[in-house]
Amino acid sequence: MKTKIFNSTLLFTLIMSISLSAATTATAQTPESSIEIQALAIENQLRCPVCVNQGLTTCALALCNDIKNSIRTQLAEGRSPDNILLFFEESYGTQIRSGLAPRGFNLWLWSWTVASVIIPTTAIFLIINRLRSGTN
Amino acid sequence: MPEIANILGVAGHTALGVSLASSILCVLLGISSRNATDLATTYTRQQNLIILIFIGLAVSLSILTYSIVTDQFALKYVVEHSSSQMQVWYKIASLYSGQAGSLLIWTFAISLGTLLLSRTRTASFQARGLNAITILTFIILAFLFPLTFLSSPFELTSRVFTEGIGLNPLLVDPTMLIHPPTLLLGLASTSIPFAISLGMIISKTSNIEWSRSLRRWTLISLLILSAGNFLGAWWAYTVLGWGGYWGWDPVENCAILPLIPLAMLLHSKPLQERLGLFYTWNLMLGCLPFVLAIFGTFNVRSGLITSVHSFAESDIGPYFLGLLAVTLLTPAILLTLGTRVKSVTHNYDSVLSRETGLIINNFLLLSIGLVILGGTLFPVASELANGARIVVGPLFFADTVGPLLTILLIFMAFTAPLVWTKTLKKNYLQQIKFPISLAVLISIFAVILGANGLINLLAIFACAFGILIHSFEICRAITKNTGVASSPYDRVLQPFKRNPRRYGGYIAHIGLAVMAIGIISSTAYESRNRFTVSPGDSFALGDYSFEYQGLWGRKPEKNGIEIEAGTEVTLIENSEVVKVFRPGRRFFYAAPNQPVAIVDIDTSLIRDVYVFTQGWDEQQVAEIQILIKPLVQWLWIGAGLYIGGVLVSLSARDKSMLKNS
């Protein structure tokens, strides 16, 4: 009985894990034109210049649709993604970039982020060491 | 009608006044009886006053509900948030769509929690009970003050209105009937762990009953707040029409921030029980969720942060800033000045122990919380420093929180088979070798099928390992059955009955891993495209073929909706129509320039086909956006499992080892 329950649960888990993984990756292979893939990658790095906290990809404003079309046109003309991003940054300012470049005042946030990881990690080591030495 | 509204307004004010007076009395009683000999009498009096506070708030809430449902447009709140055109349940949703209404619900929820806590029968309720109850009543008082004097829901209009503005169009959705109240209830419930912890800080002692109570209320807060956030994500996915469910918007961040110390507390409480460690840490964690809840409320009300969710922006932000300072500084100062770190009795034998796993996971959660807090506050900091607001978008959070969550998932999985005090290396390796091998195989299989990106692959591994190891642990408990379970059903249930705290936690962990699968696959492997099409045009995205049929439109004549219109798109497989999508836009009389998206989704466990229309012209040329979102349904399934796990854990009859001190 024990073995039966164990085996069926194991089989269920195995099937579920494999099917999930397969489905994840099968859809990853959806054929897209290379320009469309690059365009979507660029769109993901830009935000709507008008709306609040709205990505370019998801914004339905006419302005955003123009930017999306412009991305595709520029890609078709052979411009590199970096150049296209720079073009929009020059046109609309750095605020159009979704990401936060590690420069200028942004470095404060990046420093905070690094400290948020380093300080707790150090705390883990200190606490474990103290516990160990306490035992020893 | 205005006469009735006047009566209702006066009655509402009176009910609030009764609650206000009772809460002042209750606080005074609590403060003055600190040295009283008969604490039990004081406690009984406080219990009675709490009933009065609760009744007063329940009556005012009922009056406001009645006023909204019966269209009492002589009340300012009803005019600003309701409309006679709305169906009754959307009218009820107006209760929390404005500031005064949502504050009233907050206060009512805290009073309900206080009432429940005050009825707890414990052997040593007096000292800690009085403290916690007095603190909670003080919080109620702090909420009743703006409700009565600054932002009353019973304020009368200066002239007669025959119709109201109605609900914000974005809120006209069935999910809105449960998401905001759940979230408000969750945020309000954090006041109980706060009061219990602060009560312990003030009394400078711990107590077994109150520790149990703290754990139970922490779980309740975690449950309600998580459910509120999941419902919000569901609303964003099905209503907003951008195909996502979490935008890392500052207000969304404020809603999940209290969850982090709640989760940390649940995982560090056993360390206090086992090692005598983290006493002060746990008290801080008990206070922090409520401080963060107030921080979020202040953010939303003050307009300090720019958000798509700022429905309730108002001028009482400074008041909440004061409240935030009080709630943050009181425990901080008392902990710094008044409490000594308790002497501990270590029982830490090996690094390879559950204790280590819990310490690591606790600090990983701390890292995640700090990063989210930093990203949320950075726009304000940049504006204060430079005069220019730097917006922190989802990419920052995806790049920072994403990897940290992956590491957390991995450590969560590695911790599951660890036992307290010392785990034998041989046993541990024996337990993890099969699930870890299988998880590696699954990851390799994923690479073969085309998965890419180091973080994505690590996350796939973490999820697979997490699901497998926790499932194996549950299976091991089922097969190790030592009881007298007669049927297979009983055998399966026995571990959850025997140790609900542990196995409920495992179910919640599996839920988190399943949710992570949904999140990773639906974001990293999503396909999307926009199509500008005329009626009869065919177009394809990946393996899916579509045909645009034309426009549709209707007049629902309810909920203030003027017209609903959109496009009809068919999904074609083997020349046959397998699904008709009708995405579009909903236009409201009160906000004609603020149409709301109508999204149409074909759902399955493998993928969602998400269709929405961006617009159309007079020639019926439409712009349609299609998204294929793989495995996104697993996000909601995982959320259900997580909630189920927390519920199982909550059913535990706590056999805490904490000693009275």
Side-chain angles (χ1 to χ4, degrees):
Chain A
M1 182 63 195
K2 282 180 185 176
T3 324
K4 207 172 173 181
I5 294 174
F6 188 81
N7 287 344
S8 18
T9 318
L10 182 67
L11 191 68
F12 167 75
T13 318
L14 188 67
I15 290 168
M16 197 176 80
S17 304
I18 291 178
S19 63
L20 292 182
S21 166
T24 308
T25 48
T27 44
Q29 287 183 315
T30 310
E32 292 281 348
S33 74
S34 107
I35 284 188
E36 193 52 38
I37 290 169
Q38 286 184 66
L40 287 171
I42 296 170
E43 278 183 18
N44 279 331
Q45 292 181 59
L46 296 172
R47 67 162 65 105
C48 168
V50 179
C51 301
V52 179
N53 296 335
Q54 176 96 50
L56 180 74
T57 320
T58 54
C59 187
L61 285 184
L63 172 66
C64 289
N65 287 338
D66 290 345
I67 294 175
K68 289 172 196 169
N69 292 333
S70 169
I71 292 170
R72 283 157 183 79
T73 312
Q74 292 189 48
L75 279 170
E77 286 167 359
R79 295 189 73 180
S80 73
D82 283 345
N83 275 336
I84 296 170
L85 287 168
L86 206 62
F87 168 80
F88 287 112
E89 202 174 311
E90 281 165 2
S91 308
Y92 295 97
T94 50
Q95 287 297 293
I96 198 168
R97 296 287 287 259
S98 284
L100 210 62
R103 59 172 186 245
F105 193 77
N106 295 353
L107 280 173
W108 282 103
L109 180 58
W110 284 108
S111 308
W112 168 272
T113 305
V114 172
S116 301
V117 176
I118 289 176
I119 294 171
T121 310
T122 314
I124 292 169
F125 282 106
L126 288 176
I127 290 168
I128 291 173
N129 264 339
R130 202 174 128 196
L131 284 170
R132 288 184 74 189
S133 60
T135 321
N136 296 332
Chain B
M1 282 292 272
E3 290 76 27
I4 298 172
N6 280 342
I7 295 166
L8 288 170
V10 171
H13 271 300
T14 311
L16 281 179
V18 168
S19 295
L20 186 76
S22 308
S23 54
I24 292 171
L25 265 177
C26 198
V27 170
L28 289 175
L29 210 56
I31 294 168
S32 61
S33 64
R34 289 290 303 278
N35 298 316
T37 44
D38 193 3
L39 290 166
T41 314
T42 310
Y43 195 71
T44 311
R45 285 178 185 157
Q46 278 196 318
Q47 280 181 316
N48 293 335
L49 284 168
I50 288 160
I51 294 173
L52 215 54
I53 296 170
F54 177 76
I55 291 173
L57 283 162
V59 168
S60 27
L61 195 60
S62 309
I63 290 172
L64 186 60
T65 312
Y66 177 79
S67 306
I68 289 172
V69 171
T70 55
D71 304 321
Q72 302 296 333
F73 295 121
L75 288 176
K76 200 174 165 191
Y77 188 85
V78 183
V79 177
E80 287 173 355
H81 302 284
S82 186
S83 156
S84 62
Q85 302 299 310
M86 297 194 313
Q87 285 167 300
V88 71
W89 43 85
Y90 286 121
K91 285 183 181 178
I92 292 169
S94 310
L95 265 179
Y96 39 80
S97 68
Q99 173 181 273
S102 59
L103 274 182
L104 183 59
I105 292 178
W106 250 89
T107 321
F108 173 75
I110 298 174
S111 76
L112 176 66
T114 312
L115 182 70
L116 292 174
L117 188 73
S118 71
R119 311 315 286 184
T120 316
R121 289 180 184 278
T122 63
S124 53
F125 59 83
Q126 288 98 341
R128 262 75 58 179
L130 272 178
N131 280 342
I133 295 301
T134 308
I135 293 160
L136 278 167
T137 327
F138 182 80
I139 294 169
I140 294 172
L141 183 60
F143 273 81
L144 274 169
F145 182 78
L147 261 178
T148 317
F149 301 109
L150 304 174
S151 174
S152 171
F154 301 107
E155 196 183 325
L156 295 169
T157 52
S158 50
R159 64 186 185 87
V160 177
F161 288 90
T162 50
E163 187 50 275
I165 295 167
L167 213 54
N168 181 317
L170 275 175
L171 306 181
V172 183
D173 180 80
T175 322
M176 275 298 122
L177 300 174
I178 41 173
H179 157 57
T182 314
L183 204 57
L184 284 173
L185 204 62
L187 290 170
S189 68
T190 57
S191 60
I192 314 270
F194 174 85
I196 295 173
S197 302
L198 191 57
M200 285 185 187
I201 293 170
I202 292 169
S203 62
K204 294 181 191 172
T205 49
S206 181
N207 167 280
I208 193 163
E209 287 298 332
W210 285 95
S211 272
R212 284 176 182 172
S213 192
L214 177 60
R215 184 187 166 271
R216 202 166 299 127
W217 280 101
T218 305
L219 264 174
I220 291 171
S221 285
L222 186 86
L223 177 77
I224 305 173
L225 204 50
S226 302
N229 274 293
F230 294 148
L231 288 166
W234 174 259
W235 168 72
Y237 182 65
T238 53
V239 173
L240 291 186
W242 57 284
Y245 34 79
W246 193 263
W248 292 106
D249 181 271
V251 169
E252 294 170 7
N253 295 348
C254 286
I256 53 159
L257 272 172
L259 282 174
I260 293 171
L262 287 171
M264 285 170 74
L265 179 58
L266 282 174
H267 291 85
S268 67
K269 204 84 184 57
L271 291 170
Q272 183 188 334
E273 295 168 5
R274 286 273 167 181
L275 296 175
L277 275 176
F278 293 110
Y279 175 71
T280 310
W281 179 252
N282 285 342
L283 290 176
M284 275 163 51
L285 289 178
C287 292
L288 214 50
F290 184 63
V291 174
L292 290 168
I294 295 290
F295 165 73
T297 310
F298 160 65
N299 276 339
V300 177
R301 318 260 162 204
S302 65
L304 184 74
I305 50 176
T306 320
S307 163
V308 288
H309 296 270
S310 297
F311 299 120
E313 201 173 302
S314 73
D315 51 1
I316 62 164
Y319 180 82
F320 275 93
L321 182 63
L323 192 59
L324 175 64
V326 171
T327 51
L328 179 67
L329 294 177
T330 309
I333 292 170
L334 287 174
L335 272 173
T336 313
L337 301 177
T339 356
R340 288 193 180 86
V341 176
K342 287 171 77 76
S343 58
V344 294
T345 46
H346 291 176
N347 192 20
Y348 185 80
D349 288 344
S350 164
V351 174
L352 198 61
S353 61
R354 178 165 288 236
E355 287 88 331
T356 312
L358 290 179
I359 291 171
I360 294 173
N361 286 341
N362 222 258
F363 282 91
L364 271 170
L365 278 166
L366 176 68
S367 287
I368 292 167
L370 287 173
V371 173
I372 297 175
L373 186 67
T376 307
L377 283 176
F378 187 69
V380 182
S382 63
E383 194 167 16
L384 286 174
N386 293 339
R389 183 175 287 246
I390 300 174
V391 180
V392 182
L395 266 191
F396 168 80
F397 292 102
D399 290 345
T400 52
V401 179
L404 283 171
L405 280 173
T406 305
I407 297 169
L408 181 72
L409 277 173
I410 292 173
F411 272 102
M412 188 180 86
F414 274 112
T415 304
L418 289 171
V419 295
W420 292 108
T421 314
K422 187 174 185 176
T423 310
L424 289 175
K425 199 173 169 184
K426 192 182 158 192
N427 288 355
Y428 184 65
L429 291 174
Q430 185 73 27
Q431 274 171 284
I432 64 165
K433 73 176 182 192
F434 193 54
I436 211 169
S437 312
L438 211 53
V440 169
L441 273 177
I442 288 168
S443 307
I444 294 170
F445 187 56
V447 175
I448 294 167
L449 287 170
N452 49 24
L454 180 66
I455 294 293
N456 291 340
L457 283 173
L458 261 178
I460 289 171
F461 166 78
C463 294
F465 184 36
I467 294 171
L468 289 166
I469 195 93
H470 286 95
S471 306
F472 276 39
E473 286 299 308
I474 294 170
C475 289
R476 209 184 308 278
I478 293 169
T479 51
K480 210 163 59 180
N481 186 358
T482 50
V484 284
S486 49
S487 67
Y489 177 73
D490 286 337
R491 275 169 186 268
V492 171
L493 284 187
Q494 205 178 47
F496 300 102
K497 285 179 182 166
R498 205 172 55 228
N499 195 348
R501 187 168 159 173
R502 180 172 192 168
Y503 294 104
Y506 283 177
I507 296 282
H509 286 177
I510 293 174
L512 286 173
V514 173
M515 276 172 72
I517 287 176
I519 294 167
I520 299 156
S521 48
S522 64
T523 49
Y525 304 113
E526 162 195 289
S527 311
R528 69 160 73 207
N529 209 346
R530 274 181 314 130
F531 303 91
T532 306
V533 283
S534 300
D537 282 356
S538 296
F539 51 100
L541 177 64
D543 297 334
Y544 299 89
S545 300
F546 303 89
E547 194 172 298
Y548 169 46
Q549 306 296 336
L551 296 178
W552 61 270
R554 65 174 174 233
K555 278 182 169 282
E557 301 293 350
K558 60 181 181 184
N559 300 323
I561 301 168
E562 185 182 2
I563 190 168
E564 287 179 342
T567 54
E568 189 171 292
V569 179
T570 48
L571 174 62
I572 315 240
E573 265 175 32
N574 302 323
S575 309
E576 276 183 32
V577 173
V578 289
K579 163 87 184 167
V580 179
F581 296 96
R582 293 166 69 84
R585 300 252 148 185
R586 189 171 286 136
F587 296 85
F588 290 80
Y589 285 109
N593 297 322
Q594 198 187 341
V596 174
I598 300 170
V599 174
D600 206 345
I601 310 170
D602 182 42
T603 290
S604 79
L605 288 179
I606 298 296
R607 55 91 194 111
D608 273 14
V609 179
Y610 189 101
V611 184
F612 65 96
T613 299
Q614 290 190 317
W616 56 87
D617 64 15
E618 284 166 3
Q619 280 73 46
Q620 297 203 26
V621 175
E623 214 166 273
I624 294 160
Q625 192 156 143
I626 312 267
L627 286 86
I628 311 292
K629 297 189 77 72
L631 306 180
V632 70
Q633 286 304 313
W634 290 93
L635 167 59
W636 317 117
I637 293 170
L641 273 172
Y642 168 87
I643 294 288
V646 178
L647 278 170
V648 170
S649 197
L650 197 56
S651 71
R653 290 174 66 85
D654 215 319
K655 289 167 186 160
S656 170
M657 288 161 302
L658 196 77
K659 292 178 175 58
N660 267 311
S661 47

